[in-house]
Amino acid sequence: MMKVHICKDTEAMGKAAAALFIACVEEKPNAVLGLATGSTPIPTYSEMAKAYQTGVIDFSKVTTFNLDEYVGLAPTHEQSYRYFMETNLFKHINIPTESTHVLSGLAADPEAECGNYEAMIDAAGGIDLQILGLGNNGHIAFNEPADAFAATTHTVTLTESTIEANKRFFESADEVPRKAYTMGIGSIMKAKKIVLLANGAAKADAVAAMVEGPVTPQCPASILQFHPNVVVLVDEAAAAKLTK
Ligand code: GLP
């Protein structure tokens, strides 16, 4: 079931999402958290860091798995998702580095990297709470619109729309990696609870397609309609095209 909440602004969205993470870890100190990159979750991570710094939450027993990573970027590359996580969350909280998992952009054997990643998630007991952003084209993680839903962690070729959207972080569109590793739709759907965040007018079409459109791999996020426990947090602008 999908519950949609319209929040006042991105700050309120961040507070609401962080509250879900805090509740999850309070209930289960060794929770497995699924994490995302992109600009959308940054306020959530700031709130989580604040909660740690004020003694509200302890991350020492938590395990994390990130959704995706660019192929070819080293963990020290400023646009790698490992670097993003270190900067925006991990270095501000007390999670041991060995408990944080991000696919390696430099893996020598992509198939083994993806297979091991999927197995590690399963061995950890599965993801308790997964945070998701939303691509302008309806992608989740790096699962791009396609003819079929991908089950497990795999390599993808990024679409022009995603390269365009993400080039703002690179010197030019040419610098954006063309491939990425991503958890599959099946991996994401196995999470016990999901919180998806979207803000801004550029996401309004994707939000409407995800919530009210048909379930189709052409809008990968639409599959979330079939998940038993999804919270969608949006601002007014992203909610503008919802009709119900
Ligand atoms: C990227 C990421 C997604 C993210 C999306 C939206 O391509 N792989 O996980 O949700 O784009 O990014 P943003 O939050 O910056 O709009």
Side-chain angles (χ1 to χ4, degrees):
M1 218 192 68
M2 231 181 206
K3 281 187 219 144
V4 182
H5 295 286
I6 301 176
C7 303
K8 179 166 105 261
D9 51 28
T10 53
E11 197 190 322
M13 281 169 55
K15 286 206 165 109
L20 294 177
F21 278 104
I22 293 165
C24 175
V25 175
E26 263 169 5
E27 198 191 319
K28 186 179 175 189
N30 63 344
V32 179
L33 307 180
L35 302 179
T37 54
S39 42
T40 312
I42 292 177
T44 305
Y45 295 153
S46 310
E47 290 295 331
M48 285 163 71
K50 220 192 279 172
Y52 163 67
Q53 282 149 14
T54 54
V56 175
I57 183 170
D58 170 18
F59 289 96
S60 62
K61 297 190 176 65
V62 164
T63 300
T64 67
F65 287 94
N66 260 80
L67 289 168
D68 46 12
E69 180 60 285
Y70 287 116
V71 170
L73 297 196
T76 49
H77 189 291
E78 284 186 23
Q79 296 312 331
S80 77
Y81 286 169
R82 164 56 79 177
Y83 188 91
F84 174 101
M85 290 311 303
E86 294 295 335
T87 317
N88 287 291
L89 183 63
F90 299 153
K91 76 169 187 202
H92 306 290
I93 62 175
N94 66 332
I95 189 163
T97 302
E98 60 273 22
S99 305
T100 67
H101 304 279
V102 183
L103 285 144
S104 168
L106 298 184
D109 181 345
E111 247 175 72
E113 178 68 9
C114 294
N116 290 340
Y117 200 73
E118 197 71 29
M120 276 196 293
I121 298 173
D122 288 342
I127 290 166
D128 292 300
L129 178 60
Q130 173 71 56
I131 186 170
L132 295 176
L134 181 65
N136 297 342
N137 61 2
H139 77 219
I140 45 177
F142 268 136
N143 291 276
E144 297 280 31
D147 294 333
F149 291 112
T152 57
T153 304
H154 61 290
T155 307
V156 288
T157 301
L158 301 179
T159 61
E160 275 310 312
S161 146
T162 297
I163 291 165
E164 266 307 297
N166 289 1
K167 74 173 187 201
R168 66 189 194 277
F169 299 112
F170 294 83
E171 270 173 33
S172 71
D174 288 346
E175 305 285 308
V176 184
R178 268 31 189 183
K179 286 183 188 288
Y181 298 126
T182 181
M183 274 165 52
I185 291 294
S187 338
I188 295 169
M189 287 294 280
K190 280 196 278 183
K192 287 157 204 138
K193 184 177 173 119
I194 294 174
V195 55
L196 181 142
L197 275 61
N199 60 269
K203 302 286 171 77
D205 285 319
V207 168
M210 164 180 74
V211 178
E212 295 179 356
V215 173
T216 162
Q218 296 301 337
C219 174
S222 65
I223 191 79
L224 298 174
Q225 292 176 30
F226 290 164
H227 190 282
N229 195 354
V230 181
V231 177
V232 176
L233 301 174
V234 286
D235 69 352
E236 298 274 353
K241 295 194 175 165
L242 292 173
T243 62
K244 286 175 196 145

